[in-house]
């Protein structure tokens, strides 16, 4: 351990610690500071969950989580219980996003530690540098920042995935007293329960990974009955953690569980006639889309070509350098198995593949890249070219993500910033009580956004002006117009966005109030 901190004259370690400091500083600002400028509280899902937390304070404890986007079932409810303690800070919706932002920030040092453990046989300076590079690159990913400064259940997946993997490594490798092993297995079950509550992908993939991990652990300790019983502690911990769900299912005659099982069987049946080549093609497409959605941020011709080239190079390098791989075998095998289960599950789903469906594999390109760099040296021309090309891909990904992050921060803090929840509350506090507020762009966005949902929440719990919100503007109504808006791409390109500057309205709209973020009119 002392070698880790000997940096004098070691340029690689100096670079590594510099990257770690930059990753933590940027991660802290982009997550834990920027989260307090909440500019995306306009989707009905966010308002629905905000009302759930308020109901929890009234003793109405949820037994189901958010609804799945496909399949007609609902997720398990632990995400609500994970977020709920932060609402003790207040009713402002920003406090409901804070757990995601905090876990996103903590996932940066956790990923650095994870990669450092993965590359256990690599020379110390190089090992630290590659771990730092992984953490720095991850800290800049725009989609990870956006989703975790926005209240949404898939956000914490990476943090708990890393916890799950590290817990398993310690269980399999660490020589711990029995009491510590008991604690780790209980924690392992709790983390599993949280993971299966976050998204449909983790709901379907992680139980399979968990069962496989238990089988491997038992096979390695089959002569020790005491150890073989330890996985039962995880099973019990997961079941107890999900007690609210079981309580609800008993009253529903297991309707939601039946819906989940129906989705599993129907998805397998729908994809049953797909041959192996189609499934391989779907897997390749999934990872190329991941590169487009998270690493090169776009679907233009050149970004598609770059994404294909990037993932193809990673596959080639993985094939050519696997014999030189010196990584931790426990982590590697568990990761590989989990990814294969995910790929199989993804090959059963041929619908639209949005970025949150890939959060379970979000860090795969980073891990494969640092492993490839670890296996390469400068001994041959091919290796030198491969290192140079990988470096260019990393730099391009960093530049493109910094570009989108700059746009996001400009939308939060710039002179032409987008409207935030705090701005809206400030405006509501200056509108006469019991007034009617209408939506200027109802026809454009009412079905998708229905901003009255967010407006009603902010007024009901914060400004408390007893305002009424309507779709159509009538004389005497108040109308709020943001000076600047972020226009988000939909479906596969989400959450990439462009910015729109609104001109002040004339005619029948008399200016009542102007703030740095909005115009407020009285309709005449």
């Amino acid at each position: 351990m002392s070698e880790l901190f000997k940096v004098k004259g070691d340029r690689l370690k100096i670079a590594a610690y510099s990257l770690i400091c930059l990753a933590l500083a940027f991660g802290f600002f982009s997550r834990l500071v920027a989260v307090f400028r909440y500019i995306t509280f306009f989707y009905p899902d966010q308002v629905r969950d905000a009302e759930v937390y308020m109901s929890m304070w009234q003793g109405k404890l949820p037994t189901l989580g958010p609804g799945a986007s496909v399949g007609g079932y609902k997720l398990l409810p632990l995400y609500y219980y994970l977020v709920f303690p932060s609402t003790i800070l207040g009713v402002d919706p920003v406090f409901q996003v804070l757990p995601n932002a905090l876990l996103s920030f903590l996932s940066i040092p956790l990923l650095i530690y994870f990669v450092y453990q993965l590359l256990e046989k690599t020379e110390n300076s190089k090992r630290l540098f590659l771990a730092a590079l992984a953490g720095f690159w991850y800290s800049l990913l725009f989609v990870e920042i956006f989703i975790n400064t926005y209240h949404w259940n898939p956000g914490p997946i990476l943090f708990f995935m890393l916890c799950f993997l590290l817990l398993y490594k310690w269980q399999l490798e660490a020589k711990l007293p029995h009491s510590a092993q008991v604690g780790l297995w209980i924690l392992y079950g709790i983390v599993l329960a949280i993971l299966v509550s976050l998204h449909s992908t983790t709901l379907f993939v992680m139980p399979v990974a968990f069962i496989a991990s238990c089988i491997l652990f038992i096979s390695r300790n089959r002569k020790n009955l005491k150890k073989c019983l330890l996985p039962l502690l995880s099973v019990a911990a997961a079941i107890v953690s999900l007690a609210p769900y079981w309580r609800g299912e008993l009253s529903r005659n297991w309707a939601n569980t039946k819906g989940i099982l129906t989705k599993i069987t129907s998805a397998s049946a729908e994809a049953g006639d797909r041959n192996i080549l189609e499934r391989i093609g779907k897997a390749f497409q999934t990872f190329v889309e991941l590169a487009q959605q998270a690493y090169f941020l776009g679907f233009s011709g050149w970004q598609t070509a770059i994404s294909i080239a990037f993932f193809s190079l990673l596959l080639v390098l993985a094939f050519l350098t696997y014999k030189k791989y010196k990584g931790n075998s426990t982590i590697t095998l568990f990761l590989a198995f989990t990814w294969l289960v995910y790929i199989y599950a993804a090959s059963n789903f041929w619908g639209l593949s949005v970025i949150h469906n890939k959060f379970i594999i979000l860090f795969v390109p980073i891990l494969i890249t640092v492993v490839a760099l670890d296996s390469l040296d400068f001994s041959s021309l091919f290796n030198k070219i491969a290192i140079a090309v990988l470096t260019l891909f990393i730099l391009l990904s960093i530049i493109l993500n910094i570009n989108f992050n700059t746009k996001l921060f400009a939308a939060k803090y710039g002179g032409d910033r987008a409207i935030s929840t705090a701005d809206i509350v400030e405006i509501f506090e200056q509108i006469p009580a019991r007034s009617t507020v209408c939506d200027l762009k109802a026809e454009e966005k009412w079905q998708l956004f229905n901003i009255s949902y967010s407006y009603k929440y902010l007024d009901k719990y914060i400004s408390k002006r007893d305002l009424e919100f309507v779709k159509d503007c009538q004389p005497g109504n108040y109308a709020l117009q943001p000076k600047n808006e972020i226009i988000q791409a939909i479906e596969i390109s989400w959450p990439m966005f462009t910015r729109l500057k609104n001109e002040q309205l004339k005619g029948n709209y008399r200016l009542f109030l102007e703030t740095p973020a909005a115009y407020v009119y009285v309709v005449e």
Side-chain angles (χ1 to χ4, degrees):
M1 182 62 71
S2 60
E3 289 294 321
L4 193 61
F5 299 102
K6 292 181 180 179
V7 298
K8 188 175 181 180
D10 192 330
R11 293 183 180 179
L12 210 52
K13 280 188 180 177
I14 293 171
Y17 283 117
S18 298
L19 287 177
I20 291 172
C21 289
L22 286 171
L24 294 178
F26 183 78
F28 184 83
F29 172 76
S30 60
R31 278 87 166 169
L32 291 174
V33 175
V35 69
F36 286 96
R37 185 76 72 173
Y38 195 8
I39 62 172
T40 51
F41 185 67
F42 301 109
Y43 285 88
D45 288 358
Q46 278 63 55
V47 186
R48 173 206 63 204
D49 291 351
E51 289 286 359
V52 169
Y53 301 124
M54 297 303 101
S55 296
M56 290 175 77
W57 282 108
Q58 304 301 318
K60 298 177 183 177
L61 302 181
T63 61
L64 288 172
S69 55
V70 293
Y73 60 89
K74 292 196 173 183
L75 297 173
L76 282 58
L78 288 197
Y79 179 69
Y80 289 144
Y81 292 89
L82 183 69
V83 172
F84 176 67
S86 71
T87 62
I88 197 172
L89 299 172
V91 297
D92 193 313
V94 73
F95 296 125
Q96 298 156 19
V97 192
L98 197 55
N100 276 21
L102 176 61
L103 294 176
S104 174
F105 170 70
L106 293 177
S107 65
I108 298 170
L110 194 61
L111 179 62
I112 293 171
Y113 175 76
F114 176 81
V115 174
Y116 190 80
Q117 293 298 309
L118 176 65
L119 305 178
E120 61 182 7
K121 296 177 183 177
T122 302
E123 185 272 324
N124 192 265
S125 296
K126 185 178 182 181
R127 180 185 182 189
L128 183 63
F129 176 78
L130 291 174
L133 175 62
F136 177 68
W137 192 2
Y138 169 77
S139 75
L140 297 171
L141 293 183
F142 163 75
V143 296
E144 207 279 339
I145 294 169
F146 187 96
I147 288 176
N148 281 300
T149 51
Y150 164 89
H151 177 271
W152 206 17
N153 45 285
I157 285 176
L158 179 66
F159 175 82
F160 287 105
M161 274 291 297
L162 291 172
C163 290
F164 194 77
L165 290 162
L166 288 169
L167 283 169
Y168 187 64
K169 176 186 181 296
W170 295 334
Q171 290 155 4
L172 223 61
E173 297 180 357
K175 300 187 184 328
L176 299 171
H178 185 70
S179 59
Q181 293 179 44
V182 167
L184 286 179
W185 278 100
I186 291 173
L187 191 57
Y188 195 53
I190 295 171
V191 171
L192 172 67
I194 294 172
L195 277 169
V196 298
S197 300
L198 295 179
H199 195 256
S200 293
T201 52
T202 49
L203 175 63
F204 298 142
V205 171
M206 297 315 298
V208 179
F210 170 76
I211 292 169
S213 70
C214 292
I215 292 172
L216 178 59
F217 179 83
I218 292 170
S219 68
R220 289 192 179 184
N221 297 278
R222 57 186 176 275
K223 295 181 180 179
N224 188 332
L225 179 61
K226 199 174 182 180
K227 279 194 171 185
C228 288
L229 295 176
L230 286 172
L232 293 177
L233 293 172
S234 289
V235 175
I239 291 172
V240 171
S241 298
L242 292 168
Y245 178 74
W246 308 128
R247 178 172 60 86
E249 281 296 89
L250 285 171
S251 65
R252 292 185 293 265
N253 194 29
W254 303 94
N256 196 67
T257 303
K258 291 174 184 176
I260 293 171
L261 295 174
T262 299
K263 178 58 184 174
I264 294 172
T265 54
S266 64
S268 298
E270 289 168 7
D273 58 346
R274 307 285 181 183
N275 61 47
I276 186 64
L277 291 178
E278 288 178 308
R279 289 181 180 271
I280 292 172
K282 176 62 177 177
F284 185 83
Q285 177 190 342
T286 297
F287 283 99
V288 170
E289 285 178 352
L290 174 63
Q292 293 172 292
Q293 292 167 319
Y295 288 85
F296 301 108
L297 296 172
F299 288 82
S300 67
W302 72 268
Q303 285 165 311
T304 300
I306 287 289
S307 299
I308 293 171
F310 173 62
F311 188 64
S312 299
L313 177 61
L314 292 184
L315 286 178
V316 170
L317 291 177
F319 177 75
L320 294 177
T321 63
Y322 76 94
K323 289 184 178 179
K324 298 180 181 179
Y325 177 59
K326 304 183 289 289
N328 179 277
S329 59
T330 301
I331 295 176
T332 303
L333 290 173
F334 197 16
L335 273 175
F337 180 80
T338 304
W339 293 345
L340 286 172
V341 174
Y342 170 81
I343 289 169
Y344 176 78
S347 71
N348 287 332
F349 180 71
W350 290 75
L352 190 68
S353 187
V354 287
I355 183 60
H356 50 278
N357 288 349
K358 304 184 184 77
F359 249 52
I360 193 172
I361 58 166
L362 182 63
F363 62 145
V364 169
I366 292 175
L367 290 186
I368 298 177
T369 300
V370 296
V371 166
L373 288 172
D374 179 47
S375 301
L376 294 169
D377 54 33
F378 292 95
S379 60
S380 69
L381 179 61
F382 173 82
N383 284 6
K384 292 176 182 177
I385 293 172
I387 291 171
V389 174
L390 280 177
T391 302
L392 289 175
F393 279 134
I394 294 169
L395 289 175
L396 179 59
S397 174
I398 287 173
I399 290 168
L400 291 172
N401 275 278
I402 287 176
N403 177 53
F404 261 96
N405 287 327
T406 302
K407 290 180 182 178
L408 180 61
F409 298 147
K412 289 179 179 247
Y413 297 104
D416 295 330
R417 63 182 175 86
I419 195 166
S420 69
T421 53
D423 294 320
I424 295 170
V425 170
E426 180 185 347
I427 289 168
F428 286 171
E429 289 173 343
Q430 298 180 67
I431 292 176
R434 292 178 293 280
S435 297
T436 299
V437 179
C438 63
D439 184 1
L440 285 172
K441 292 190 175 181
E443 296 306 321
E444 292 181 28
K445 61 185 180 182
W446 191 264
Q447 293 300 318
L448 177 61
F449 294 95
N450 196 342
I451 60 170
S452 71
Y453 293 155
S454 57
Y455 285 1
K456 285 177 182 177
Y457 177 89
L458 295 173
D459 183 57
K460 178 180 179 181
Y461 294 103
I462 305 178
S463 59
K464 299 182 179 179
R465 304 293 286 171
D466 196 21
L467 303 174
E468 181 183 359
F469 301 95
V470 298
K471 176 179 177 181
D472 300 312
C473 290
Q474 302 294 332
N477 293 170
Y478 289 83
L480 188 157
Q481 181 194 31
K483 290 182 175 179
N484 300 280
E485 298 181 70
I486 59 171
I487 308 300
Q488 291 182 282
I490 59 173
E491 299 179 337
I492 198 167
S493 298
W494 190 90
M496 289 175 264
F497 67 88
T498 56
R499 298 178 65 190
L500 172 68
K501 186 176 181 64
N502 292 318
E503 298 297 328
Q504 183 178 340
L505 299 177
K506 305 294 182 183
N508 294 332
Y509 298 93
R510 174 171 58 84
L511 187 65
F512 168 76
L513 175 70
E514 181 177 355
T515 72
Y519 302 108
V520 183
Y521 308 99
V522 175
V523 182
E524 296 183 333

